[in-house]
Amino acid sequence: NITNVPPLRFPGFTEEWKETTIGDVAKIEKGNGISKTQLSDEGEECILYGELYTKYKSEIIDEVHSKTGIDSTKLTRSHVNDVIIPCSGETAEDIATARCVKKDGILLGGDLNIIRFDRQDGSFMSYQLNGKRKYDIARVAQGVSVVHLYPDHLKSVKIYLPQLEEQQTIVKLLSLIDERIAAQNKIIEDLKKLKSAIYDKVFKSIKGVKLPLENVADIIKGKQLNGEFLMESGSYYVMNGGIEPSGYYHTFNISSNTISISEGGNSCGYIQWNDTPFWSGGHCYTLNIKDTSIEDKYLYHFLKWREADIMKLRIGTGLPNIQKKDLARFTIEIPTSSLQTKIICLLDFYNAKIENETYVLELYNRQKLYLLSQMFI
């Protein structure tokens, strides 16, 4: 019986995959030097460990985003096919982030493990380490507040290797999906920029009645739920100080089609339109519109346009918050009813377009995760 084979495989490949460890097929070095403050517009290309979390989202690095002008004589340079993994991170899962460098001579900063394979495809190894091996790597990482991953730990991680030709065939498919994901991200980014420009164009040109927010809507603070009552899933989400739900609950205290504003925390001032009923928590404001001359969706779009100014109302440092009295005085401009309707139609269209493209991106990401789980052992 052939056992060491993945569930999903390209036709023509029949041999078993070889079980081994990283230490048996690769040498592991560490990068050194180069801090964020030493980056510059000119100089030699370089990669810092933190950029693996922020700038390099797919497994293959074929374009480098940073440069440094510091003396590089004692620094470590990449070889084509090197796989780099951070030496430290916030969580064990985060630290298992592998990237393959496809260029020679790139300066590799400190806090990077450099896995140098001799006869394997580095891109294939990156996909395997980020997929099936992610939790194996997380298990050997050490630390609590800051997690560390040392070369000796990586050497013991078990890996499975097919023939080089099969490795390259798998990489070809997955890299095409990564290219599509990158293109989809660009579509969404451009749509958001366009929407922002339209927001500016629309709202800077309107003329209307100016009123404080308290004159057009009642500002209602939510009711705090103890963490023990929150569920991981359920009928109604709970909004608090963040931009994502803090959990779920079995009932709701706010009806659908309501504007909420984050009251406390780092995201205070965040404006959200809620299509469905939800629970408004202790760090959440909701608006109950009482002025019939203003459409609720128009008010949402106006506040979203001014979101950065609303966020500036925050006070405090440890746990910043927005006082109800300050929010109440925030000025709203109300044009004619017919103009409000046109604005709502236009801006809702762009919101719906961004939501649709984001859903497409989610499907591509799911497809990639499925392939990572099925095309590797």
Side-chain angles (χ1 to χ4, degrees):
N1 283 341
I2 296 176
T3 53
N4 282 347
V5 293
L8 191 62
R9 208 171 185 191
F10 282 101
F13 297 107
T14 56
E15 287 189 17
E16 271 193 283
W17 289 26
K18 178 187 171 188
E19 181 183 315
T20 184
T21 63
I22 291 177
D24 286 336
V25 294
K27 293 175 182 175
I28 304 177
E29 298 181 17
K30 286 189 73 175
N32 58 59
I34 319 174
S35 66
K36 204 172 180 180
T37 57
Q38 292 172 319
L39 297 181
S40 56
D41 294 333
E42 300 295 327
E44 296 190 76
E45 292 183 320
C46 64
I47 299 171
L48 306 189
Y49 91 97
E51 294 177 333
L52 269 60
Y53 302 123
T54 56
K55 291 187 177 180
Y56 303 106
K57 297 292 189 180
S58 65
E59 278 74 4
I60 300 169
I61 299 176
D62 46 25
E63 183 183 348
V64 179
H65 300 299
S66 299
K67 292 180 180 178
T68 183
I70 64 171
D71 179 11
S72 61
T73 50
K74 294 182 179 178
L75 299 185
T76 307
R77 295 180 181 275
S78 69
H79 295 181
V80 169
N81 209 45
D82 280 351
V83 175
I84 53 177
I85 297 181
C87 296
S88 61
E90 290 185 7
T91 70
E93 285 73 25
D94 281 344
I95 210 171
T97 302
R99 302 286 181 257
C100 178
V101 184
K102 303 298 284 184
K103 297 176 81 173
D104 262 326
I106 306 300
L107 298 173
L108 301 176
D111 237 13
L112 276 174
N113 288 300
I114 306 160
I115 309 174
R116 197 152 277 167
F117 292 98
D118 188 17
R119 297 181 181 86
Q120 312 303 326
D121 187 295
S123 301
F124 172 84
M125 295 310 307
S126 281
Y127 284 116
Q128 181 173 173
L129 295 177
N130 286 339
K132 288 285 192 176
R133 305 282 82 78
K134 191 172 186 71
Y135 294 103
D136 297 338
I137 293 171
R139 274 195 289 273
V140 298
Q142 294 181 348
V144 182
S145 56
V146 177
V147 182
H148 297 283
L149 184 63
Y150 299 105
D152 282 347
H153 298 148
L154 278 169
K155 285 178 185 175
S156 67
V157 172
K158 193 183 293 183
I159 52 174
Y160 293 86
L161 302 173
Q163 295 173 305
L164 185 60
E165 188 185 350
E166 187 171 1
Q167 292 181 32
Q168 291 167 341
T169 306
I170 291 168
V171 167
K172 194 177 290 185
L173 172 64
L174 291 172
S175 61
L176 283 172
I177 292 172
D178 276 335
E179 284 174 21
R180 191 65 191 89
I181 288 171
Q184 191 65 19
N185 273 313
K186 184 72 168 62
I187 288 168
I188 295 166
E189 183 186 321
D190 288 347
L191 274 171
K192 285 180 176 177
K193 286 178 184 173
L194 176 60
K195 190 185 88 168
S196 180
I198 291 169
Y199 261 90
D200 270 354
K201 182 83 171 171
V202 164
F203 288 114
K204 283 179 178 176
S205 64
I206 63 168
K207 296 285 184 285
V209 179
K210 293 182 179 179
L211 293 171
L213 181 57
E214 64 184 346
N215 282 28
V216 300
D218 292 320
I219 302 166
I220 302 161
K221 190 170 181 181
K223 186 178 179 183
Q224 188 60 35
L225 276 176
N226 290 335
E228 63 201 74
F229 296 117
L230 295 179
M231 300 176 287
E232 288 187 11
S233 62
S235 302
Y236 305 101
Y237 59 84
V238 178
M239 288 309 300
N240 253 313
I243 62 175
E244 298 289 340
S246 54
Y248 292 83
Y249 196 47
H250 64 83
T251 188
F252 63 93
N253 61 359
I254 299 294
S255 58
S256 58
N257 300 323
T258 302
I259 301 164
S260 62
I261 304 173
S262 169
E263 178 267 350
N266 290 330
S267 304
C268 62
Y270 174 75
I271 312 295
Q272 179 165 300
W273 177 262
N274 300 274
D275 285 314
T276 59
F278 69 102
W279 186 275
S280 174
H283 293 293
C284 180
Y285 291 126
T286 53
L287 301 182
N288 185 18
I289 295 173
K290 57 188 180 183
D291 186 334
T292 56
S293 71
I294 189 166
E295 297 279 344
D296 49 7
K297 211 58 183 295
Y298 169 80
L299 179 58
Y300 161 73
H301 285 301
F302 183 88
L303 292 173
K304 198 69 180 172
W305 175 58
R306 297 291 304 276
E307 188 174 60
D309 295 313
I310 292 168
M311 286 181 167
K312 288 175 186 173
L313 298 175
R314 66 178 65 189
I315 59 169
T317 50
L319 185 66
N321 68 95
I322 292 176
Q323 299 284 299
K324 187 174 176 178
K325 60 181 174 59
D326 295 328
L327 195 56
R329 290 195 291 263
F330 196 82
T331 303
I332 310 297
E333 189 158 5
I334 310 168
T336 62
S337 179
S338 60
L339 184 53
Q340 287 183 52
T341 302
K342 289 176 183 175
I343 290 170
I344 292 166
C345 289
L346 176 66
L347 297 178
D348 274 2
F349 167 79
Y350 281 99
N351 276 351
K353 179 68 174 163
I354 290 168
E355 281 178 20
N356 288 340
E357 296 297 346
T358 303
Y359 179 64
V360 171
L361 175 62
E362 186 185 326
L363 293 179
Y364 284 130
N365 282 320
R366 278 194 221 163
Q367 181 185 41
K368 179 181 172 180
L369 286 173
Y370 175 77
L371 292 174
L372 286 174
S373 72
Q374 296 298 305
M375 297 186 78
F376 295 83
I377 299 175

